[in-house]
Amino acid sequence: MGAGRGKPRALPTRPQYRASAEGGSGADPGGEAGPAWSGVGGAGDVSRPRVSGRRTGACGLLPLPPTTAPNGSSGPSRDSVEWEGRSLLKALIKKAALGGEQVHILGCEVSEEEFRAGFDSSINSRLVYYDLFRDPLNWAQTGEALPGGPLGALQAMCKRTDPGPVTVALDSLSWLLLRLPCAALCQALCAMSRQHACRGGGPAAEQLCVLGLLHRELHGPGPTGALSSLAQTEVTLGGTAGQASAHILCRRPRQRPPLETLWFSVLPDLSLDLQGGPPLESQPHPDPHTPQVEPASHLTFNLHLSKREREAKDSLTLPFQFSSEKQQALLRPGPGPATSRIFYEPDAFDDLDPEDPDGDLDV
Amino acid sequence: MAAAATCGTGAGSTGSMVAAGGKNNVTSFQRRGPRASGSDSSYSRLVSIAGTRPSVRNGQLLVSTGLPALDQLLGGGLAVGTVLLIEEDKYNIYSSLLFKYFLAEGIINGHTLLVASAKEDPADILQELPAPLLDDNVKKDFDEDACNHKTAESNIKMKIAWRYQLLPKMEAGPVSSSRFGHYYDASKKMPQELIEASKWHGFFSPEKSSSTLNIEPCSLTHGYIKLLQFIQNIIYEEGFDGSNPQKKQKNILRIGIQNLGSPLWGDDICCTENGNSHSLTKFLYVLRGLLRTSLSACMITMPTHLIQNKAIISRVTNLSDTVVGLESFIGSERETNPLYKDYHGLIHIRQIPRLNNLIYDVSDVKDLAFKLKKKLFTIEGHSREQCILVALTPAQ
């Protein structure tokens, strides 16, 4: 019902993003059989749990070019305008359907008509919709509802998917989280990916992508943290001055997760329009509150030398400073203890008289 | 043996008398004590298991954690019969790497492995283990590492300490034939034949605990009960607790439990503040009891950053023996801090056990940071003043 719109975090496609990053080098970042479940967000954010099978080799699901948007603002510059994620979710669904994948949708928060609005008929015919909005507890006993409540609905969705690339969209994880224990939901999501992988039959066949919408304001840090730890790509929607941005965090098993921000907008026909950077007029100023940390600034001793001090230091004669020949002679292992040499370097205060070397002796 | 050696040099006659007397068994140089059947090396009563060594401080049997730098911080290694708890970093990158090092060390030493996870299949975890660094490659890698590191410094001729130019560079690398603590190349995978030759048991929680029972509070969740039963069965059947006396060669059981406490185990400790807060602590208590009575060592990784109730974290710390926390700099403001620019994260040694001892075996350097170079995981002490940079030499 549009409840809880808020700071969204959403983000686009992980697969394409990944393809460009890896270049199909055979690395298997997404290749774990476990749930690659990404995304979380605030009200209206799209989280996109992706579960991919082994070594799928990122063939892009959604052809979004990976751009590295300038992430210049270090200070929080979020607007108060709420960013809705459902439109982004629908845009992603549309792209998935156009790409020929099966799309299964579990609709809990809005009615089926409202959800299907905006898709054209060809796409609508391809979406498999499970409606939990009209009659979640199956009071009408019509017989077409899924048994077992929301958890049963999740498991049934998984069983009905044919092998092949599948996108599952959960219209609202928040709805599920409010009705199911969080641990059970996490386990069900992981089980979905695994069962799909088992039935896939081949490595390229199982490619399950789970998209979920999470309203961040409705949940405490616990459930959101737990879900984001399962997620493979996490997307936060935000924006400035009417321009929506998506802050992407893509976890990869053995590498540091890259953080990126993309600016986008969803057009009325539910296609995504990516912009390269933030609009000019809303360029945030560099945050003056985070200066470069100078490590030697708060010490009780002085580590810096002034110019005069440095000159004095360089011109100082060290007590054991020998000429370089003498140093080399000392460093080189001599020809044995049989020949012993005496090295004498006259000091500044020595007064050598070559004719009378013992002149200074008081004998 | 010692007696024979000391009198052997004295006079050959006594030696011959011993030899002659040995046949009649009437000599005074009789060795008392039980004799192993047919074994002539009966004097060695120490338990010599592959991959272990006694601690230099108190003789406690230690195994390597797979990371020699961490071994040194923990006082030589992980004691057999104890639990090492790793508090995961936020994105679970480095803690899973430590977990894999632990398992890889077990494979190299020939220990039996028990891998438990709720997220990944243990077979898949074992496929991802890092490859050990072989001795001849190791020196090459270290030399080139040292060269890269020291090129800037070697060009400056030393003015005061010029005699040190003669000394060889300090070997910060692995000893060529180290039988305790090996180095691993995180970019390569362990060869398949080593994995197949090893003995391992896997516990994958979603497969084993299929039913979702409703349990009463203050009791263990289903996944934990199953895991404890599994561990107990393995310990008993394979004789790690001495229950099968016909076993001739003792071995160590390395238990690795990944992501304990996460919602995938059925535990809601990470989701709510007032959940079943005793399940995890009971599990650790029972686990420690199992470990103390068997020749096993356990490493657990736990996402403590997700646990909402901070009191539980302190209880968990008390119930574990050694606790090491990892904090990575990814995504935090420390990433741009010039103090930390060489490092990938901080290591906090939160607890070290006192086993048969009155004092702790704590290292002197408290601020420790780690970095993952392309092949190696190094731990160094760092300090805010940046004047003191102590490099812990991994070789012992």
Side-chain angles (χ1 to χ4, degrees), chain B residues 240-253:
Chain B
F240 290 105
D241 55 352
S243 57
N244 284 343
Q246 61 267 24
K247 274 220 131 356
K248 46 197 176 306
Q249 189 70 14
K250 291 189 199 258
N251 204 353
I252 301 277
L253 175 68

Side-chain angles (χ1 to χ4, degrees), chain B residues 240-275:
Chain B
F240 290 105
D241 55 352
S243 57
N244 284 343
Q246 61 267 24
K247 274 220 131 356
K248 46 197 176 306
Q249 189 70 14
K250 291 189 199 258
N251 204 353
I252 301 277
L253 175 68
R254 279 189 188 235
I255 305 176
I257 308 178
Q258 206 179 29
N259 293 121
L260 193 69
S262 81
L264 296 174
W265 286 97
D267 197 1
D268 57 354
I269 213 171
C270 292
C271 311
T272 67
E273 274 206 25
N274 307 320

Side-chain angles (χ1 to χ4, degrees), chain B residues 6-135:
Chain B
T6 47
C7 69
T9 51
S13 56
T14 37
S16 59
M17 202 180 348
V18 168
K23 293 184 187 123
N24 302 336
N25 274 351
V26 289
T27 166
S28 57
F29 294 102
Q30 215 39 279
R31 174 159 293 275
R32 291 179 184 270
R35 292 228 176 145
S37 54
S39 152
D40 54 346
S41 64
S42 57
Y43 55 89
S44 67
R45 295 204 197 102
L46 288 174
V47 179
S48 60
I49 312 173
T52 66
R53 70 169 180 190
S55 159
V56 294
R57 284 218 180 221
N58 53 1
Q60 178 81 36
L61 200 63
L62 301 175
V63 292
S64 170
T65 54
L67 203 61
L70 188 62
D71 285 343
Q72 195 164 10
L73 288 175
L74 300 181
L78 178 64
V80 170
T82 60
V83 172
L84 169 63
L85 179 74
I86 306 272
E87 296 183 355
E88 290 178 6
D89 52 312
K90 195 163 170 224
Y91 300 108
N92 197 15
I93 303 173
Y94 302 107
S95 45
S96 61
L97 199 60
L98 289 188
F99 189 74
K100 290 186 184 134
Y101 282 146
F102 184 73
L103 297 177
E105 183 72 24
I107 289 189
I108 299 290
N109 287 325
H111 297 159
T112 307
L113 297 181
L114 198 161
V115 186
S117 171
K119 202 171 183 183
E120 296 172 61
D121 200 356
D124 296 338
I125 299 177
L126 285 180
Q127 297 299 317
E128 300 276 321
L129 294 184
L133 278 178
L134 302 171
D135 294 337

Side-chain angles (χ1 to χ4, degrees), chain A residues 86-283:
Chain A
R86 188 163 290 117
S87 49
L88 183 61
L89 177 68
K90 286 162 72 162
L92 295 174
I93 290 175
K94 175 181 172 182
K95 286 222 189 279
L98 289 177
E101 294 196 2
Q102 316 168 45
V103 182
H104 295 255
I105 302 170
L106 184 70
C108 314
E109 277 192 351
V110 295
S111 64
E112 184 169 353
E113 296 81 26
E114 187 180 336
F115 195 87
R116 285 187 185 262
F119 292 121
D120 52 0
S121 55
S122 62
I123 296 180
N124 260 327
S125 57
R126 269 197 249 175
L127 303 179
V128 181
Y129 196 90
Y130 302 88
D131 191 8
L132 275 184
F133 172 76
R134 178 170 313 182
D135 190 6
L137 297 175
N138 199 16
W139 285 342
Q141 306 267 336
T142 49
E144 54 181 51
L146 298 166
L151 204 56
L154 276 178
Q155 287 157 356
M157 274 174 80
C158 187
K159 290 194 181 71
R160 289 189 196 177
T161 57
D162 306 319
V166 175
T167 298
V168 174
L170 304 172
D171 186 351
S172 171
L173 283 173
S174 292
W175 194 92
L176 291 171
L177 261 184
L178 292 172
R179 282 154 186 82
L180 297 173
C182 180
L185 180 62
C186 295
Q187 284 175 323
L189 290 169
C190 288
M192 270 172 86
S193 68
R194 241 189 344 271
Q195 284 169 17
H196 189 79
C198 290
R199 279 186 298 111
E206 66 259 9
Q207 191 165 0
L208 178 65
C209 174
V210 184
L211 297 146
L213 195 67
L214 188 69
H215 307 296
R216 192 176 189 187
E217 297 152 346
L218 295 181
H219 307 286
T224 46
L227 285 174
S228 58
S229 68
L230 290 183
Q232 195 151 24
T233 307
E234 188 179 304
V235 174
T236 313
L237 286 181
T240 56
Q243 182 61 44
S245 74
H247 189 77
I248 313 162
L249 175 69
C250 185
R251 290 170 193 239
R252 296 184 201 181
R254 275 188 281 172
Q255 303 164 31
R256 303 154 57 90
L259 307 162
E260 253 197 49
T261 303
L262 291 181
W263 299 82
F264 72 99
S265 63
V266 182
L267 303 174
D269 67 342
L270 295 179
S271 53
L272 272 177
D273 178 31
L274 285 184
Q275 282 96 29
L280 284 174
E281 62 272 9
S282 70
Q283 196 68 260

Side-chain angles (χ1 to χ4, degrees), chain B residues 156-168:
Chain B
I156 306 170
K157 277 199 170 300
M158 289 189 261
K159 246 169 63 167
I160 300 178
W162 49 270
R163 283 187 196 266
Y164 287 101
Q165 286 170 9
L166 261 191
L167 289 186

